[in-house]
Amino acid sequence: MKTTLPPALVQAYRQAWYEVWLPASGQMSSQVQDTPSLLQVDVAHAPLRQTMQRLNARQACLLTACNPRGQLLPAAENTRRMQALRQALQAEGWTWTPALGRDPLGQWPGEESLLIWHMDRAQARYWGRQWAQNAVLVFGDDAIPRLECLR
């Protein structure tokens, strides 16, 4: 993958933990699992694959609006950006489940994120760029998270 991002930053994204609260049933609703599923880049995750199958989602992506271009923002600004992202996605008819990107070493604060069902790679790249992100995770029908650098 060609990118202008520093190798250490790409490695940090690859080593991050991505916690996703999968829907408790096959239907999208406010009910999600009590405990998040832990996803990692390039690692298969059977519960996610099963959920994608139940939702007939052949693709998905994980996106945040927090900390654009890797610049740490105050919590209130990240909260405002995430609210705006949810509103924009809702206006376009997308569905999602809550997620959190987490640094396993605790050197970077967790970033509220969304796992957006049915969003393909091109759409994920578009939305990620709209929200000034360095990267997004994309999922094909194999449900394996793949890092997609945007710069």
Side-chain angles (χ1 to χ4, degrees), residues 91-102:
E92 296 285 328
W94 294 102
T95 57
W96 62 85
T97 191
L100 180 72
R102 185 180 303 270

Side-chain angles (χ1 to χ4, degrees), residues 30-108:
S30 60
Q31 287 190 331
V32 295
Q33 293 177 335
D34 292 333
T35 304
S37 290
L38 182 64
L39 307 179
Q40 292 179 283
V41 173
D42 296 332
V43 177
H45 190 267
L48 176 62
R49 188 182 72 250
Q50 293 162 357
T51 301
M52 288 179 69
Q53 289 172 344
R54 282 195 316 264
L55 298 174
N56 294 317
R58 297 188 51 81
Q59 59 263 331
C61 87
L62 194 135
L63 174 66
T64 185
C66 296
N67 304 317
R69 290 188 177 77
Q71 298 301 308
L72 191 60
L73 295 179
E77 179 64 14
N78 281 329
T79 298
R80 184 198 65 75
R81 289 179 59 84
M82 285 304 296
Q83 182 177 5
L85 173 60
R86 283 189 293 275
Q87 289 171 344
L89 289 167
Q90 187 172 12
E92 296 285 328
W94 294 102
T95 57
W96 62 85
T97 191
L100 180 72
R102 185 180 303 270
D103 174 4
L105 301 176
Q107 297 174 350
W108 186 264

Side-chain angles (χ1 to χ4, degrees), residues 13 63-70 81 111 127-136 149-151:
Y13 291 141
L63 174 66
T64 185
C66 296
N67 304 317
R69 290 188 177 77
R81 289 179 59 84
E111 291 183 345
W127 280 84
R129 285 188 173 122
Q130 291 297 329
W131 292 90
Q133 295 302 302
N134 288 330
V136 294
C149 293
L150 302 178
R151 300 187 330 164

